[in-house]
Amino acid sequence: MRMLNRGARKSRGGGGDDAEVMLSPLIDCVFLLLIFFLVTSVLKRYERMIPVTLADPTAAVAVVADSDAYLLGLAADGTVHREAGRDERGIVRFVVVSDPVSLASEMVSTRGPDAPIELVVEQQTPFQTVIDFLDALQHAGLTRVRSRVRDGEL
């Protein structure tokens, strides 16, 4: 019986020296963090190369609206409209334009590239449609284009 008790004691007390920290998962985690930070720092460098021109915050609210701004409308279905005058209440009436590219070219030749353009967009118009039309206006040479959203139809 004494033999069994000594063996039980030995197995209980003798296992304390075998405890150790596993380093391979810790090293894997450190390398993953290192790779993550290296990749994000490289992406930040490319982010700084994108040319972004921010608007002047003081120009966001104009005291007096541009009365010489030419109004263009963009409907939810993608049709382009131009200003056709105002009714007795001062609400702008729009008519459909069959060829918006030629209209933009005509505006550049008659009014110049710095003529102010105001784009009135219906609220349900897809964002990509607005971006495509703004790109077309910029490609035609119009540089001063601002936009606003209109709740009702054009």
Side-chain angles (χ1 to χ4, degrees), residues 21-35:
V21 177
M22 294 178 56
L23 290 178
S24 62
L26 182 65
I27 292 171
D28 290 345
C29 184
V30 169
F31 279 125
L32 285 175
L33 286 172
L34 180 68
I35 291 170

Side-chain angles (χ1 to χ4, degrees), residues 55-63:
D56 184 19
T58 59
V61 179
V63 178

Side-chain angles (χ1 to χ4, degrees), residues 9-44:
R9 270 191 216 151
K10 233 181 199 183
S11 67
R12 273 191 255 155
D17 292 338
D18 293 339
E20 62 184 59
V21 177
M22 294 178 56
L23 290 178
S24 62
L26 182 65
I27 292 171
D28 290 345
C29 184
V30 169
F31 279 125
L32 285 175
L33 286 172
L34 180 68
I35 291 170
F36 172 76
F37 287 118
L38 284 174
V39 169
T40 56
S41 68
V42 169
L43 289 177
K44 286 230 181 236

Side-chain angles (χ1 to χ4, degrees), residues 9-132:
R9 270 191 216 151
K10 233 181 199 183
S11 67
R12 273 191 255 155
D17 292 338
D18 293 339
E20 62 184 59
V21 177
M22 294 178 56
L23 290 178
S24 62
L26 182 65
I27 292 171
D28 290 345
C29 184
V30 169
F31 279 125
L32 285 175
L33 286 172
L34 180 68
I35 291 170
F36 172 76
F37 287 118
L38 284 174
V39 169
T40 56
S41 68
V42 169
L43 289 177
K44 286 230 181 236
R45 184 178 341 139
Y46 291 122
E47 234 174 62
R48 280 186 237 130
M49 289 199 283
I50 298 173
V52 176
T53 305
L54 299 176
D56 184 19
T58 59
V61 179
V63 178
V64 179
D66 285 339
S67 60
D68 62 338
Y70 192 81
L71 292 177
L72 291 176
L74 187 60
D77 60 355
T79 58
V80 178
H81 298 63
R82 67 173 175 81
E83 182 180 5
R86 297 179 184 263
D87 62 4
E88 62 277 351
R89 294 178 292 165
I91 298 175
V92 178
R93 292 177 313 170
F94 289 97
V95 293
V96 177
V97 175
S98 60
D99 189 14
V101 175
S102 64
L103 175 69
S105 301
E106 177 187 329
M107 289 172 61
V108 169
S109 63
T110 58
R111 297 174 52 109
D114 291 332
I117 306 293
E118 184 169 344
L119 181 62
V120 181
V121 181
E122 285 185 2
Q123 190 171 12
Q124 288 78 22
T125 306
F127 188 70
Q128 188 61 47
T129 305
V130 177
I131 295 298
D132 290 341

